[in-house]
PDB file of all heavy atoms in Angstrom:
ATOM      1  N   SER A 814       6.403 -45.836   1.509  1.00 49.00           N
ATOM      2  CA  SER A 814       6.519 -46.049   0.099  1.00 49.00           C
ATOM      3  C   SER A 814       7.877 -46.705  -0.081  1.00 49.00           C
ATOM      4  O   SER A 814       8.902 -46.410   0.542  1.00 49.00           O
ATOM      5  CB  SER A 814       6.470 -44.804  -0.752  1.00 49.00           C
ATOM      6  OG  SER A 814       5.106 -44.216  -0.495  1.00 49.00           O
ATOM      7  N   ILE A 878       5.825 -30.472  -8.488  1.00 98.00           N
ATOM      8  CA  ILE A 878       4.437 -30.243  -8.223  1.00 98.00           C
ATOM      9  C   ILE A 878       4.271 -28.651  -8.383  1.00 98.00           C
ATOM     10  O   ILE A 878       5.031 -27.911  -7.949  1.00 98.00           O
ATOM     11  CB  ILE A 878       3.962 -30.673  -6.880  1.00 98.00           C
ATOM     12  CG1 ILE A 878       4.163 -32.189  -6.715  1.00 98.00           C
ATOM     13  CG2 ILE A 878       2.520 -30.267  -6.628  1.00 98.00           C
ATOM     14  CD1 ILE A 878       3.983 -32.678  -5.325  1.00 98.00           C
ATOM     15  N   ALA A 909     -14.649 -38.301  -6.077  1.00 95.00           N
ATOM     16  CA  ALA A 909     -14.670 -37.599  -4.767  1.00 95.00           C
ATOM     17  C   ALA A 909     -14.918 -36.088  -4.920  1.00 95.00           C
ATOM     18  O   ALA A 909     -15.091 -35.398  -3.890  1.00 95.00           O
ATOM     19  CB  ALA A 909     -13.272 -37.770  -4.084  1.00 95.00           C
ATOM     20  N   LEU A 942     -21.644   1.705   7.530  1.00 97.00           N
ATOM     21  CA  LEU A 942     -21.928   2.720   6.503  1.00 97.00           C
ATOM     22  C   LEU A 942     -23.360   2.604   6.028  1.00 97.00           C
ATOM     23  O   LEU A 942     -23.966   3.673   5.744  1.00 97.00           O
ATOM     24  CB  LEU A 942     -20.907   2.516   5.411  1.00 97.00           C
ATOM     25  CG  LEU A 942     -19.483   2.938   5.599  1.00 97.00           C
ATOM     26  CD1 LEU A 942     -18.695   2.827   4.329  1.00 97.00           C
ATOM     27  CD2 LEU A 942     -19.373   4.322   6.164  1.00 97.00           C
ATOM     28  N   LEU A 992     -21.317  -9.900 -12.173  1.00 98.00           N
ATOM     29  CA  LEU A 992     -22.518  -9.030 -12.472  1.00 98.00           C
ATOM     30  C   LEU A 992     -23.112  -9.482 -13.798  1.00 98.00           C
ATOM     31  O   LEU A 992     -24.267  -9.416 -13.979  1.00 98.00           O
ATOM     32  CB  LEU A 992     -22.026  -7.590 -12.515  1.00 98.00           C
ATOM     33  CG  LEU A 992     -21.796  -6.920 -11.140  1.00 98.00           C
ATOM     34  CD1 LEU A 992     -20.985  -5.677 -11.244  1.00 98.00           C
ATOM     35  CD2 LEU A 992     -23.118  -6.713 -10.426  1.00 98.00           C
ATOM     36  N   VAL A1002     -19.809 -18.825 -24.977  1.00 95.00           N
ATOM     37  CA  VAL A1002     -20.870 -19.844 -25.191  1.00 95.00           C
ATOM     38  C   VAL A1002     -20.443 -20.746 -26.303  1.00 95.00           C
ATOM     39  O   VAL A1002     -20.086 -20.264 -27.472  1.00 95.00           O
ATOM     40  CB  VAL A1002     -22.242 -19.177 -25.507  1.00 95.00           C
ATOM     41  CG1 VAL A1002     -23.283 -20.209 -25.828  1.00 95.00           C
ATOM     42  CG2 VAL A1002     -22.715 -18.295 -24.376  1.00 95.00           C
ATOM     43  N   ILE A1094     -19.432 -15.871 -10.714  1.00 94.00           N
ATOM     44  CA  ILE A1094     -18.484 -16.656 -11.389  1.00 94.00           C
ATOM     45  C   ILE A1094     -17.727 -17.496 -10.393  1.00 94.00           C
ATOM     46  O   ILE A1094     -17.584 -17.116  -9.196  1.00 94.00           O
ATOM     47  CB  ILE A1094     -17.445 -15.673 -12.096  1.00 94.00           C
ATOM     48  CG1 ILE A1094     -18.086 -15.111 -13.336  1.00 94.00           C
ATOM     49  CG2 ILE A1094     -16.095 -16.283 -12.314  1.00 94.00           C
ATOM     50  CD1 ILE A1094     -18.182 -16.125 -14.499  1.00 94.00           C
ATOM     51  N   GLU A1110      10.291 -39.337  -9.385  1.00 96.00           N
ATOM     52  CA  GLU A1110       9.748 -38.120  -8.803  1.00 96.00           C
ATOM     53  C   GLU A1110       8.303 -37.936  -9.105  1.00 96.00           C
ATOM     54  O   GLU A1110       7.518 -37.514  -8.231  1.00 96.00           O
ATOM     55  CB  GLU A1110      10.602 -36.885  -9.418  1.00 96.00           C
ATOM     56  CG  GLU A1110      12.102 -36.904  -8.986  1.00 96.00           C
ATOM     57  CD  GLU A1110      12.923 -35.910  -9.786  1.00 96.00           C
ATOM     58  OE1 GLU A1110      12.329 -35.389 -10.827  1.00 96.00           O
ATOM     59  OE2 GLU A1110      13.994 -35.645  -9.324  1.00 96.00           O
ATOM     60  N   LEU A1170     -22.916 -21.060  -4.239  1.00 86.00           N
ATOM     61  CA  LEU A1170     -22.293 -22.097  -5.037  1.00 86.00           C
ATOM     62  C   LEU A1170     -23.224 -22.813  -5.985  1.00 86.00           C
ATOM     63  O   LEU A1170     -22.839 -23.097  -7.141  1.00 86.00           O
ATOM     64  CB  LEU A1170     -21.650 -23.202  -4.098  1.00 86.00           C
ATOM     65  CG  LEU A1170     -20.284 -22.824  -3.501  1.00 86.00           C
ATOM     66  CD1 LEU A1170     -19.988 -23.882  -2.392  1.00 86.00           C
ATOM     67  CD2 LEU A1170     -19.224 -22.843  -4.580  1.00 86.00           C
ATOM     68  N   ALA A1212     -14.377  -7.992 -29.961  1.00 98.00           N
ATOM     69  CA  ALA A1212     -13.436  -8.076 -31.010  1.00 98.00           C
ATOM     70  C   ALA A1212     -12.147  -8.714 -30.489  1.00 98.00           C
ATOM     71  O   ALA A1212     -11.580  -9.591 -31.128  1.00 98.00           O
ATOM     72  CB  ALA A1212     -13.112  -6.766 -31.709  1.00 98.00           C
TER      73      ALA A1212
END
Side-chain angles (χ1 to χ4, degrees):
S814 298
I878 298 168
L942 291 184
L992 285 164
V1002 176
I1094 280 291
E1110 293 169 349
L1170 279 170

